[in-house]
Amino acid sequence: MLIDTYGRVATDLRVSLTDRCNLRCTYCMPEEGLQWLAKPDLLTDDEIVRLIGIAVTHLGIEEVRFTGGEPLLRPGLPGIVERVAALAPRPQMSLTTNGIGLKRTAAALKAAGLDRVNVSLDTLRPDVFKTLTRRDRHKDVIEGLEAAHAAGLTPVKINSVLMPGLNADEAPDLLAWAVEHDYELRFIEQMPLDAQHGWKRDGMVTAGDILTSLRTRFRLTEEGAGERGSAPAERWIVDGGPHRVGVIASVTRPFCAACDRTRLTADGQVRTCLFATEETDLRGALRSDVPDEEIAGIWRTAMWGKKAGAGLDDPSFVQPDRPMSAIGG
């Protein structure tokens, strides 16, 4: 079990497979990109599967989310999914992706054992997409979403970040489109995860702003805390159902008290939180032939020291020392 001093138990593992990405989203990284991790620093496929196996069989992990960077850039991804699906007990597996490579890989990932996907899409307008991501790949994301749905990687969830002056007016259009295509839309407040540290609290579109905008076109009924559990998204039933929309208010209504996550970076570090300022090295233990139970003990110790919360709405908050692409969302 992965328990901390506040009684929270981590059952959800986020695994960053690579720090690389084929987009340059303005809220994540600079246009010229970043200095990527050297290949020897990255965990190998075997090391990733071994650590996930330790998490599942020794530490009570029930759900694994593959992230990046962009996880579809990892050549061995289908094989990793297939091997994790063979673990007993078998964890639920999902993938957070920008969707660009899904048209080509969705069917193979489903066959390997992947359960569902979360796809980042912030706009329905190709020109705005190009401005936000610095890449002209909007059509590829739309086709990737269609392929994921056709392959049965459902529910297909869409993550959208709204930015003032760019797409802040699109909330109702995005929801109408998601309902039409049977996708589950979740809006995420912009968090301070940009490598250039350009985030400003007073310049973000808040959960309250988003809900006000959605209510100009839809009737929203709050789902209730009992349905939410430890999930980060507060959800509303749209026009009586069956579709729902979620809002992840990481900044204005943080959910740290219910957090059930632990994170593994692409270079084999345990992070107890996206905004943690410390990491615990597992890669060194792996490459020193340390037994599984001892590695599990290192992981338990790291999680025991997890802090109470991130304090994102605190003006003194310090942004993380690594970009999100190296940590995993």
Side-chain angles (χ1 to χ4, degrees):
M1 180 182 292
L2 288 173
I3 189 169
D4 64 30
T5 54
Y6 298 92
R8 296 170 296 193
V9 178
T11 58
D12 183 335
L13 170 61
R14 305 297 169 102
V15 181
S16 175
L17 297 178
T18 177
D19 59 330
R20 296 174 183 265
C21 188
N22 42 13
L23 296 180
R24 296 291 182 270
C25 297
T26 56
Y27 51 77
C28 183
M29 70 173 71
E31 185 171 5
E32 64 274 14
L34 300 165
Q35 184 174 348
W36 308 122
L37 292 168
K39 188 172 182 179
D41 293 335
L42 292 171
L43 293 176
T44 66
D45 292 1
D46 288 344
E47 288 171 337
I48 289 170
V49 173
R50 183 182 171 196
L51 285 176
I52 295 174
I54 291 170
V56 170
T57 60
H58 290 72
L59 299 172
I61 290 298
E62 299 171 356
E63 181 176 348
V64 176
R65 173 82 62 84
F66 297 108
T67 70
E70 173 46 50
L72 294 181
L73 295 179
R74 179 91 186 198
L77 176 58
I80 292 171
V81 171
E82 185 173 19
R83 292 167 68 185
V84 173
L87 293 173
R90 180 199 187 280
Q92 287 289 304
M93 286 184 292
S94 56
L95 177 81
T96 294
T97 171
N98 61 31
I100 287 176
L102 268 180
K103 181 180 180 181
R104 173 176 47 86
T105 59
L109 289 171
K110 178 65 177 178
L114 192 69
D115 295 301
R116 63 173 188 82
V117 294
N118 286 37
V119 179
S120 298
L121 179 66
D122 302 322
T123 179
L124 297 176
R125 304 192 294 247
D127 59 325
V128 176
F129 182 92
K130 187 174 181 179
T131 299
L132 279 168
T133 67
R134 305 183 179 106
R135 298 291 186 270
D136 190 11
R137 305 298 297 273
H138 188 264
K139 181 174 180 288
D140 296 309
V141 180
I142 300 300
E143 291 178 346
L145 282 162
E146 293 170 351
H149 195 279
L153 292 169
T154 54
V156 175
K157 295 185 179 181
I158 295 176
N159 296 336
S160 295
V161 176
L162 299 182
M163 307 280 287
L166 286 171
N167 62 339
D169 62 331
E170 284 197 68
D173 290 339
L174 280 163
L175 181 53
W177 181 80
V179 167
E180 178 186 354
H181 291 85
D182 195 30
Y183 304 141
E184 184 174 324
L185 178 63
R186 306 190 310 171
F187 292 99
I188 305 175
E189 287 182 337
Q190 184 196 0
M191 293 181 285
L193 293 168
D194 55 316
Q196 58 270 39
H197 289 184
W199 179 85
K200 290 182 173 58
R201 167 66 179 82
D202 57 2
M204 57 171 282
V205 179
T206 68
D209 297 333
I210 294 164
L211 291 169
T212 297
S213 178
L214 292 176
R215 287 185 171 118
T216 63
R217 197 181 306 180
F218 302 95
R219 176 168 54 88
L220 303 181
T221 306
E222 191 167 3
E223 192 176 55
E227 296 290 333
R228 180 182 182 184
S230 60
E234 299 175 74
R235 297 202 308 176
W236 281 262
I237 301 167
V238 180
D239 290 340
H243 292 94
R244 286 163 170 75
V245 63
V247 179
I248 300 178
S250 305
V251 178
T252 60
R253 293 199 288 270
F255 41 86
C256 299
C259 181
D260 65 348
R261 298 178 184 181
T262 183
R263 287 179 163 81
L264 184 64
T265 68
D267 55 350
Q269 310 298 307
V270 169
R271 289 184 74 99
T272 60
C273 172
L274 268 177
F275 300 94
T277 56
E278 298 176 346
E279 298 177 334
T280 300
D281 180 35
L282 296 185
R283 184 187 64 201
L286 278 176
R287 296 180 181 179
S288 300
D289 296 323
V290 171
D292 287 1
E293 183 51 54
E294 190 171 333
I295 292 174
I298 296 171
W299 206 329
R300 288 190 192 98
T301 300
M303 292 304 294
W304 182 251
K306 183 173 181 173
K307 292 181 169 53
L312 302 188
D313 207 22
D314 184 335
S316 65
F317 172 71
V318 177
Q319 296 186 30
D321 56 353
R322 289 223 267 172
M324 185 167 62
S325 62
I327 300 169

